[in-house]
Short mmCIF file of all heavy atoms in Angstrom, two decimals:
data_model
loop_
_atom_site.label_atom_id
_atom_site.label_comp_id
_atom_site.label_asym_id
_atom_site.label_seq_id
_atom_site.Cartn_x
_atom_site.Cartn_y
_atom_site.Cartn_z
N MET A 4 89.72 -14.27 159.22
CA MET A 4 88.51 -14.54 158.46
C MET A 4 87.27 -14.25 159.31
O MET A 4 86.30 -13.71 158.79
CB MET A 4 88.56 -16.00 157.99
CG MET A 4 87.40 -16.38 157.14
SD MET A 4 87.51 -15.52 155.56
CE MET A 4 86.25 -16.29 154.67
N LYS A 5 87.33 -14.64 160.58
CA LYS A 5 86.20 -14.41 161.48
C LYS A 5 85.90 -12.92 161.62
O LYS A 5 84.76 -12.50 161.63
CB LYS A 5 86.52 -15.02 162.85
CG LYS A 5 85.47 -15.89 163.40
CD LYS A 5 85.92 -16.42 164.74
CE LYS A 5 84.99 -17.50 165.18
NZ LYS A 5 85.35 -18.04 166.47
N LYS A 6 86.98 -12.13 161.74
CA LYS A 6 86.82 -10.69 161.88
C LYS A 6 86.17 -10.08 160.64
O LYS A 6 85.33 -9.19 160.73
CB LYS A 6 88.16 -10.02 162.15
CG LYS A 6 88.70 -10.26 163.53
CD LYS A 6 89.99 -9.53 163.75
CE LYS A 6 90.53 -9.83 165.13
NZ LYS A 6 91.78 -9.13 165.38
N ILE A 7 86.54 -10.56 159.49
CA ILE A 7 85.96 -10.06 158.24
C ILE A 7 84.47 -10.39 158.17
O ILE A 7 83.66 -9.54 157.81
CB ILE A 7 86.72 -10.63 157.01
CG1 ILE A 7 88.15 -10.06 156.98
CG2 ILE A 7 85.99 -10.30 155.71
CD1 ILE A 7 89.03 -10.67 155.92
N LEU A 8 84.11 -11.61 158.56
CA LEU A 8 82.70 -12.00 158.56
C LEU A 8 81.90 -11.17 159.57
O LEU A 8 80.77 -10.74 159.28
CB LEU A 8 82.55 -13.49 158.87
CG LEU A 8 82.90 -14.44 157.73
CD1 LEU A 8 82.83 -15.88 158.21
CD2 LEU A 8 81.97 -14.23 156.56
N LEU A 9 82.47 -10.92 160.73
CA LEU A 9 81.79 -10.10 161.73
C LEU A 9 81.61 -8.66 161.22
O LEU A 9 80.55 -8.07 161.39
CB LEU A 9 82.57 -10.09 163.05
CG LEU A 9 82.42 -11.34 163.91
CD1 LEU A 9 83.38 -11.28 165.10
CD2 LEU A 9 81.00 -11.47 164.40
N LEU A 10 82.65 -8.12 160.60
CA LEU A 10 82.56 -6.77 160.06
C LEU A 10 81.51 -6.70 158.96
O LEU A 10 80.70 -5.77 158.91
CB LEU A 10 83.93 -6.33 159.54
CG LEU A 10 83.99 -4.93 158.93
CD1 LEU A 10 83.63 -3.88 159.98
CD2 LEU A 10 85.37 -4.66 158.36
N LEU A 11 81.50 -7.69 158.08
CA LEU A 11 80.52 -7.73 156.99
C LEU A 11 79.10 -7.84 157.55
O LEU A 11 78.19 -7.13 157.09
CB LEU A 11 80.83 -8.91 156.07
CG LEU A 11 80.00 -9.02 154.80
CD1 LEU A 11 80.15 -7.77 153.95
CD2 LEU A 11 80.40 -10.24 154.00
N THR A 12 78.90 -8.67 158.55
CA THR A 12 77.58 -8.81 159.19
C THR A 12 77.15 -7.50 159.82
O THR A 12 76.00 -7.07 159.69
CB THR A 12 77.62 -9.93 160.25
OG1 THR A 12 78.05 -11.13 159.64
CG2 THR A 12 76.28 -10.12 160.90
N PHE A 13 78.08 -6.83 160.52
CA PHE A 13 77.78 -5.55 161.14
C PHE A 13 77.37 -4.51 160.09
O PHE A 13 76.39 -3.79 160.27
CB PHE A 13 78.99 -5.06 161.95
CG PHE A 13 78.81 -3.67 162.49
CD1 PHE A 13 77.96 -3.43 163.57
CD2 PHE A 13 79.47 -2.59 161.92
CE1 PHE A 13 77.78 -2.16 164.06
CE2 PHE A 13 79.30 -1.31 162.41
CZ PHE A 13 78.45 -1.09 163.48
N LEU A 14 78.12 -4.41 159.00
CA LEU A 14 77.82 -3.43 157.94
C LEU A 14 76.46 -3.71 157.30
O LEU A 14 75.69 -2.78 157.03
CB LEU A 14 78.93 -3.41 156.89
CG LEU A 14 80.27 -2.83 157.35
CD1 LEU A 14 81.32 -2.99 156.26
CD2 LEU A 14 80.11 -1.37 157.73
N LEU A 15 76.18 -4.98 157.05
CA LEU A 15 74.87 -5.32 156.47
C LEU A 15 73.73 -5.00 157.42
O LEU A 15 72.70 -4.49 157.01
CB LEU A 15 74.84 -6.80 156.07
CG LEU A 15 75.65 -7.17 154.82
CD1 LEU A 15 75.65 -8.67 154.62
CD2 LEU A 15 75.09 -6.46 153.60
N SER A 16 73.90 -5.28 158.70
CA SER A 16 72.84 -4.97 159.67
C SER A 16 72.66 -3.47 159.82
O SER A 16 71.53 -2.99 159.99
CB SER A 16 73.10 -5.63 161.02
OG SER A 16 74.24 -5.06 161.62
N LEU A 17 73.74 -2.72 159.75
CA LEU A 17 73.66 -1.26 159.83
C LEU A 17 72.89 -0.71 158.63
O LEU A 17 72.02 0.15 158.77
CB LEU A 17 75.07 -0.66 159.90
CG LEU A 17 75.16 0.84 160.09
CD1 LEU A 17 74.54 1.24 161.43
CD2 LEU A 17 76.60 1.30 160.02
N GLN A 18 73.21 -1.22 157.44
CA GLN A 18 72.49 -0.79 156.23
C GLN A 18 71.01 -1.14 156.33
O GLN A 18 70.16 -0.34 155.99
CB GLN A 18 73.07 -1.48 154.99
CG GLN A 18 74.06 -0.65 154.26
CD GLN A 18 74.42 -1.30 152.94
OE1 GLN A 18 74.49 -2.53 152.83
NE2 GLN A 18 74.67 -0.49 151.95
N PHE A 19 70.70 -2.33 156.82
CA PHE A 19 69.31 -2.76 156.93
C PHE A 19 68.54 -1.89 157.92
O PHE A 19 67.43 -1.47 157.65
CB PHE A 19 69.24 -4.23 157.36
CG PHE A 19 67.84 -4.75 157.44
CD1 PHE A 19 67.10 -4.99 156.30
CD2 PHE A 19 67.25 -4.98 158.68
CE1 PHE A 19 65.80 -5.45 156.38
CE2 PHE A 19 65.95 -5.45 158.77
CZ PHE A 19 65.23 -5.69 157.61
N SER A 20 69.17 -1.55 159.06
CA SER A 20 68.47 -0.73 160.05
C SER A 20 68.25 0.68 159.53
O SER A 20 67.23 1.29 159.80
CB SER A 20 69.22 -0.71 161.38
OG SER A 20 70.43 -0.01 161.27
N ASN A 21 69.20 1.25 158.79
CA ASN A 21 69.01 2.58 158.20
C ASN A 21 67.93 2.55 157.13
O ASN A 21 67.18 3.50 156.98
CB ASN A 21 70.32 3.11 157.63
CG ASN A 21 71.27 3.56 158.71
OD1 ASN A 21 70.85 3.84 159.82
ND2 ASN A 21 72.55 3.61 158.39
N ALA A 22 67.86 1.47 156.37
CA ALA A 22 66.83 1.35 155.33
C ALA A 22 65.45 1.31 155.94
O ALA A 22 64.48 1.76 155.34
CB ALA A 22 67.09 0.11 154.48
N GLN A 23 65.35 0.77 157.15
CA GLN A 23 64.07 0.69 157.82
C GLN A 23 63.58 2.06 158.30
O GLN A 23 62.40 2.29 158.42
CB GLN A 23 64.15 -0.27 159.01
CG GLN A 23 64.39 -1.71 158.62
CD GLN A 23 63.29 -2.27 157.74
OE1 GLN A 23 62.12 -2.03 157.97
NE2 GLN A 23 63.67 -2.98 156.71
N LYS A 24 64.50 2.97 158.59
CA LYS A 24 64.14 4.27 159.13
C LYS A 24 63.79 5.30 158.06
O LYS A 24 63.13 6.28 158.34
CB LYS A 24 65.29 4.81 159.99
CG LYS A 24 65.51 4.00 161.25
CD LYS A 24 66.67 4.55 162.04
CE LYS A 24 66.91 3.68 163.26
NZ LYS A 24 68.07 4.10 164.02
N SER A 25 64.26 5.06 156.82
CA SER A 25 63.96 6.02 155.76
C SER A 25 63.80 5.30 154.43
O SER A 25 64.13 4.12 154.29
CB SER A 25 65.07 7.08 155.67
OG SER A 25 66.28 6.49 155.25
N LEU A 26 63.31 6.04 153.48
CA LEU A 26 63.04 5.54 152.14
C LEU A 26 63.64 6.56 151.19
O LEU A 26 63.46 7.77 151.38
CB LEU A 26 61.53 5.45 151.97
CG LEU A 26 60.94 5.15 150.62
CD1 LEU A 26 61.19 3.68 150.28
CD2 LEU A 26 59.44 5.40 150.67
N GLU A 27 64.37 6.12 150.18
CA GLU A 27 64.96 7.07 149.24
C GLU A 27 64.02 7.28 148.05
O GLU A 27 63.58 6.33 147.42
CB GLU A 27 66.32 6.61 148.75
CG GLU A 27 67.00 7.69 147.92
CD GLU A 27 68.41 7.35 147.53
OE1 GLU A 27 69.17 6.85 148.37
OE2 GLU A 27 68.75 7.59 146.36
N VAL A 28 63.70 8.55 147.79
CA VAL A 28 62.84 8.91 146.67
C VAL A 28 63.55 10.01 145.89
O VAL A 28 63.79 11.10 146.42
CB VAL A 28 61.46 9.42 147.15
CG1 VAL A 28 60.60 9.85 145.98
CG2 VAL A 28 60.76 8.35 147.97
N ASN A 29 63.93 9.72 144.67
CA ASN A 29 64.61 10.68 143.80
C ASN A 29 65.78 11.36 144.50
O ASN A 29 65.95 12.57 144.42
CB ASN A 29 63.63 11.71 143.26
CG ASN A 29 62.57 11.07 142.38
OD1 ASN A 29 62.75 9.98 141.86
ND2 ASN A 29 61.45 11.74 142.22
N GLY A 30 66.58 10.59 145.21
CA GLY A 30 67.76 11.11 145.87
C GLY A 30 67.52 11.74 147.23
O GLY A 30 68.46 12.23 147.85
N VAL A 31 66.28 11.74 147.71
CA VAL A 31 65.94 12.34 149.00
C VAL A 31 65.60 11.22 149.98
O VAL A 31 64.79 10.34 149.68
CB VAL A 31 64.73 13.30 148.86
CG1 VAL A 31 64.27 13.78 150.22
CG2 VAL A 31 65.07 14.46 147.96
N ASN A 32 66.22 11.25 151.16
CA ASN A 32 65.88 10.29 152.21
C ASN A 32 64.64 10.79 152.93
O ASN A 32 64.65 11.85 153.55
CB ASN A 32 67.03 10.13 153.21
CG ASN A 32 68.13 9.26 152.64
OD1 ASN A 32 67.88 8.32 151.91
ND2 ASN A 32 69.36 9.59 152.96
N VAL A 33 63.57 10.02 152.83
CA VAL A 33 62.29 10.37 153.44
C VAL A 33 62.10 9.48 154.67
O VAL A 33 62.07 8.26 154.56
CB VAL A 33 61.13 10.13 152.44
CG1 VAL A 33 59.79 10.44 153.07
CG2 VAL A 33 61.34 10.96 151.17
N PRO A 34 61.98 10.10 155.86
CA PRO A 34 61.77 9.30 157.07
C PRO A 34 60.46 8.51 156.99
O PRO A 34 59.46 8.99 156.46
CB PRO A 34 61.68 10.34 158.18
CG PRO A 34 62.10 11.63 157.61
CD PRO A 34 61.98 11.53 156.13
#
Side-chain angles (χ1 to χ4, degrees):
M4 183 69 171
K5 230 180 191 181
K6 287 182 182 180
I7 293 173
L8 284 175
L9 282 173
L10 179 62
L11 186 59
T12 303
F13 173 74
L14 290 175
L15 287 174
S16 66
L17 185 63
Q18 263 189 325
F19 182 72
S20 68
N21 285 339
Q23 294 299 318
K24 293 179 183 176
S25 66
L26 172 72
E27 188 174 316
V28 177
N29 297 339
V31 173
N32 283 325
V33 178

